Amino acid sequence: MGSVLAASSPNPPPPPASAGAVPGGPGLTMPPGFTMPPVSPVLPAGGSASGQQGESEPPLPNPGAFEECHRKCKEVFPMQMEGVRLIVNKGLSNHFQVNHTLMLSTLGESSYRFGATYVGAKQMGPAESFPVMVGDMDNSGSLNAQVIHQVSEKLRSKLAFQTQQQKFMNWQGDFEFRGEDFTAAVTMGNPDVLVGSGIIVSHYLQSITPSLALGGELVYHRRPGEEGAVMSLAGRYTGSNFIATLTLGGAGAHASYYHKANDQLQVGVEFEASTRMQETSVSFGYQLDVPKANLLFKGSVDSNWVVGATLEKKLIPLPLSLVLGAFLNHRKNKFQCGFGVTIG
């Protein structure tokens, strides 16, 4: 919730190694009514009591972005695909890459997209460089573009544009500030001062403990003759091998549970309830990784009796990947399948 455009930013940096681990060990418990006599600390020569208080607790980790609370669970589910898809990636330099995407569909219109990605030389981490400029255009003239830049060590900005058939449709500006143990973000979508319309989304996520993070989201929209706001609260608990997340608000409820059984198997469960559509759904998904065979399999089933699966095979040492996907809707008696090839 809260995203104005369906545009994603680069993956955030992985959390610190202390995330999900509770500091300290099991303590000594005494029977009721029994107390230990006070023991005077033994100080070294020239020492002081203040230096024997013990090490200070480690700082709380940064919880990440609010909109990525359910991301880990969603990555387990297969993406629906239909028709034939061919993707060719070509790296022109260490900073510039282009790609060609050809889509052939039996249900919708076939299309061709040309995309380009530029990564700057400002190194902010082992796998992060800024600025990042990503864009693609299809054969009808529709354009999607993003510019992401790390303004400072804690402040990141993103600007996104979208046009449809050579007509300007949407634009969005994001500003995200990451503190030591919190993340605050503001998103503005299609602001028009003259007409008095636009959308403003604010996020805040705070680490309460190394495992628990709480936050909220406020969506405010305004246009001539209409004005309103929707608020949501979220909580996320991160264990040693699982992540449980709950979001509650005026628009409905969204709960997810991600569990990593081992290095090969991951599962996820999602529950969604919409107050506007008066609908609820439950989905179960799993991901099976077979690194020795270079296979990645994803499957899902939901309460609407939609069953889907995708299979990805990397043909090493060739820079080639094959993807097969199939989805079956038992209630509507509809079936669709897809085949994809990625080169580069």
Side-chain angles (χ1 to χ4, degrees), residues 3 17 42 57 89 113 127 138 142 149 175 184 193 217 224 234-235 244 260 265 273 280 302 313 337:
S3 295
V42 179
E57 294 184 359
N89 297 317
R113 305 189 73 91
D138 62 10
S142 299
H149 186 55
F175 297 93
V193 180
E217 175 190 63
K260 184 176 181 180
L265 181 61
T280 60
D302 60 22
K313 168 69 174 178
C337 62

Side-chain angles (χ1 to χ4, degrees), residues 99-330:
N99 61 81
H100 307 268
T101 304
L102 179 63
M103 294 287 297
L104 302 178
S105 174
T106 57
L107 300 178
E109 295 183 357
S110 301
S111 63
Y112 163 78
R113 305 189 73 91
F114 173 77
T117 302
Y118 172 79
V119 179
K122 184 179 180 181
Q123 195 81 14
M124 299 299 297
E128 284 189 325
S129 299
F130 295 93
V132 178
M133 292 182 284
V134 183
D136 64 81
M137 177 179 289
D138 62 10
N139 52 298
S140 65
S142 299
L143 171 68
N144 291 314
Q146 297 183 55
V147 179
I148 307 168
H149 186 55
Q150 190 81 17
V151 181
S152 64
E153 183 180 355
K154 298 182 178 181
L155 182 62
R156 179 178 300 183
S157 64
K158 182 178 73 173
L159 190 62
F161 300 90
Q162 185 181 47
T163 65
Q164 186 174 1
Q165 296 182 354
Q166 302 177 359
K167 293 183 179 180
F168 184 81
M169 296 295 296
N170 300 303
W171 79 273
Q172 170 183 327
D174 297 3
F175 297 93
E176 180 184 270
F177 182 84
R178 297 202 175 195
E180 296 295 334
D181 57 355
F182 72 93
T183 300
V186 176
T187 301
M188 296 178 291
N190 293 337
D192 193 331
V193 180
L194 300 179
V195 180
S197 63
I199 299 176
I200 299 178
V201 183
S202 59
H203 296 146
Y204 184 81
L205 195 61
Q206 172 74 53
S207 292
I208 307 301
T209 68
S211 301
L212 179 63
L214 300 177
E217 175 190 63
L218 178 62
V219 181
Y220 172 79
H221 64 92
R222 180 180 179 182
R223 62 183 179 181
E226 184 179 350
E227 184 179 8
V230 179
M231 185 176 181
S232 302
L233 299 177
R236 183 188 65 200
Y237 186 87
T238 304
S240 58
N241 61 344
F242 70 91
I243 301 175
T245 308
L246 175 63
T247 303
L248 294 174
H254 184 193
S256 67
Y257 177 81
Y258 163 82
H259 186 89
K260 184 176 181 180
N262 49 52
D263 293 337
Q264 289 77 37
L265 181 61
Q266 304 174 56
V267 298
V269 180
E270 271 194 313
F271 169 80
E272 293 184 87
S274 175
T275 56
R276 184 175 63 89
M277 302 296 296
Q278 297 295 316
E279 294 180 354
T280 60
S281 64
V282 179
S283 304
F284 170 79
Y286 63 94
Q287 174 179 310
L288 180 63
D289 188 6
V290 187
K292 293 184 178 180
N294 298 313
L295 282 176
L296 182 64
F297 182 83
K298 295 182 179 181
S300 68
V301 60
D302 60 22
S303 56
N304 296 320
W305 293 107
V306 178
V307 181
T310 59
L311 176 65
E312 181 179 353
K313 168 69 174 178
K314 295 182 179 180
L315 303 179
I316 297 177
L318 298 176
L320 187 67
S321 298
L322 303 180
V323 181
L324 298 175
F327 286 82
L328 176 61
N329 190 327
H330 290 81

